[in-house]
Amino acid sequence: MERNEPPRWLQDKHFSEVLFCEDFLSAHPMVCVDGSFFTVEGRVTDEESIRKQIYEMLRPHITSGTARRATTLLETLRLEAYTPELPIQEDRIHVANGTLFLNGEFRTEKEFCRNRLPIRYDPSAPQPVTWLRFLSDLLEPEDILTLQEYLGYCLIPTNRGQVMMLLKGNGGEGKSQIGVVLSRLFGCNMKDGSIGKISENRFARADLEHTLLCVDDDMRMEALRQTNYVKSIVTAQGKMDLERKGKQSYQGWMCARLLAFSNGDLQALFDRSDGFYRRQLVLTTKEKPAGRVDDPDLAEKMKAEVEGILLWAFEGLQRLAANNFKFTESQRTKNNREAVKRDNNNVYDFLDSDG
């Protein structure tokens, strides 16, 4: 009976961690930046899957302490795959079937990247009719342009726009359906979060590292006690100090954009600065028509149009980039910003009063 030759990393009962890691990376190419693994498909969000792959390679040859050795090898793998930096690429979108550049060029080649969308680029994808009809019922035409630019802005890792977006309504308009569609478009590159938690918890920023978008589906109405954490995320254009529980703080890239749905305004308890309000794009939704019958399958129908929605958002990104990342703002949006600022600072009303 022919015996299988032991692998090169296990010769004469001697185990070589270096040779094992070399063989593993040959079979599963990846790099490690700031302690996180990245492949051509983007960041590895489930490191347990890597440990499982290591375990499967060990299992035929090692019969005891296999799980413990797999854990040790995962740490060795971080050193073997270490690379000092993975460039922030603002000129391209990594999609499921290749790379889409802002100038419209598309290549099927893939490269190591921080984020890859789970959506294929298909220039012939049909127009997202259901999505566009939904937006026309939700927003005024000029505000749809702003939303289109903002969602396109979230496709690339940059904070050059220096704003967050808030969609405000009285409730029942269906604005939260946008978040459901975006979860399909962005996949693991989007996180559900809370603006309130970001403002209060110093560890919350690190949870958004390597993500493109954070969506607060139902923003709390309480005024923020402090705004520095929120403002730092919106304006970050380089590395910032990030902190995780029980670990030394470190410098990491942050490009997560903030999108919130609410029935009211985002207020600050103590911050009266113009900067806090200047960095908000506030869109107000239309009133829900009386007698409207909601479609329970609306979100699924719009998710089926996601390749067309990608083209729609990409069009908004190209328009935004051509305008030097200055968003299209209707007079309504500008008035919303001033109204929020006045509501939070009654000094303005005092100065305008005739008393």
Side-chain angles (χ1 to χ4, degrees), residues 28-31 37-44 50 86 111-114 116:
H28 310 282
M30 63 181 70
V31 295
F37 289 104
F38 298 88
T39 70
V40 293
E41 300 303 330
R43 183 169 68 97
V44 179
I50 300 178
L86 199 59
E111 58 187 331
F112 289 120
C113 59
R114 293 177 180 269
R116 188 173 296 280

Side-chain angles (χ1 to χ4, degrees), residues 6-7 45 52 66-67 73 80 123 169 171 257 311 327 329 342 354:
T45 57
K52 171 65 172 175
T66 313
L73 285 169
E80 187 68 27
R257 271 55 54 88
L311 299 181
F327 288 87
E329 289 190 48
R342 283 181 171 272
D354 296 328

Side-chain angles (χ1 to χ4, degrees), residues 268-282:
L269 199 59
F270 304 112
D271 190 346
R272 300 291 186 265
S273 67
D274 181 64
F276 177 64
Y277 300 100
R278 190 178 67 248
R279 294 184 172 95
Q280 296 183 36
L281 282 173
V282 183

Side-chain angles (χ1 to χ4, degrees), residues 30-299:
M30 63 181 70
V31 295
C32 182
V33 182
D34 295 330
S36 296
F37 289 104
F38 298 88
T39 70
V40 293
E41 300 303 330
R43 183 169 68 97
V44 179
T45 57
D46 180 18
E47 290 192 359
E48 193 66 16
S49 64
I50 300 178
R51 198 167 78 98
K52 171 65 172 175
Q53 290 172 324
I54 294 173
Y55 174 80
E56 291 298 331
M57 285 181 64
L58 294 175
R59 192 172 66 166
H61 311 285
I62 298 177
T63 57
S64 63
T66 313
R68 184 171 60 253
R69 189 181 287 272
T71 301
T72 302
L73 285 169
L74 182 61
E75 297 307 310
T76 308
L77 196 64
R78 292 187 201 277
L79 300 176
E80 187 68 27
Y82 169 79
T83 188
E85 194 53 78
L86 199 59
I88 302 293
Q89 299 168 313
E90 299 181 3
D91 65 336
R92 67 198 69 182
I93 304 169
H94 299 283
V95 290
N97 58 334
T99 307
L100 175 62
F101 292 81
L102 260 62
N103 61 8
E105 179 187 357
F106 178 73
R107 301 176 188 170
T108 56
E109 296 83 4
K110 292 184 179 182
E111 58 187 331
F112 289 120
C113 59
R114 293 177 180 269
N115 309 96
R116 188 173 296 280
L117 302 181
I119 304 302
R120 294 178 65 259
Y121 169 68
D122 181 4
S124 61
Q127 191 178 47
V129 178
T130 306
W131 168 257
L132 295 177
R133 186 188 310 118
F134 163 74
L135 292 182
S136 67
D137 292 339
L138 184 71
L139 298 168
E140 298 294 340
E142 57 269 31
D143 289 339
I144 294 177
L145 295 178
T146 310
L147 179 66
Q148 182 185 23
E149 292 173 356
Y150 193 82
L151 297 186
Y153 170 58
C154 294
L155 295 175
I156 58 174
T158 182
N159 278 325
R160 292 176 62 186
Q162 299 280 287
V163 292
M164 62 174 290
M165 176 170 280
L166 175 67
L167 263 72
K168 183 177 67 170
N170 294 324
E173 304 91 353
K175 54 187 181 294
S176 60
Q177 300 278 15
I178 295 175
V180 178
V181 176
L182 293 182
S183 67
R184 174 71 180 90
L185 177 61
F186 286 90
C188 65
N189 301 295
M190 171 187 136
K191 285 190 175 181
D192 291 321
S194 166
I195 303 297
K197 181 180 178 180
I198 293 172
S199 72
E200 297 165 2
N201 190 331
R202 70 179 190 272
F203 303 117
R205 288 188 301 178
D207 292 337
L208 300 179
E209 189 181 15
H210 306 307
T211 63
L212 293 173
L213 176 63
C214 174
V215 174
D216 189 341
D217 187 64
D218 189 11
M219 190 182 73
R220 292 188 335 216
M221 300 298 294
E222 296 91 345
L224 305 182
R225 296 184 61 83
Q226 56 183 14
T227 62
N228 55 316
Y229 289 151
V230 173
K231 288 193 293 187
S232 67
I233 290 177
V234 173
T235 61
Q237 290 189 305
K239 286 191 173 183
M240 66 163 54
D241 189 68
L242 301 177
E243 189 176 356
R244 298 185 185 274
K245 287 184 179 180
K247 294 184 179 181
Q248 179 67 35
S249 62
Y250 62 98
Q251 296 291 303
W253 287 101
M254 179 66 66
C255 60
R257 271 55 54 88
L258 304 179
L259 173 62
F261 306 108
S262 175
N263 296 335
D265 298 315
L266 179 60
Q267 300 278 13
L269 199 59
F270 304 112
D271 190 346
R272 300 291 186 265
S273 67
D274 181 64
F276 177 64
Y277 300 100
R278 190 178 67 248
R279 294 184 172 95
Q280 296 183 36
L281 282 173
V282 183
L283 304 184
T284 49
T285 62
K286 295 178 180 179
E287 293 286 340
K288 179 181 178 180
R292 187 187 74 184
V293 179
D294 294 330
D295 182 359
D297 299 322
L298 178 61

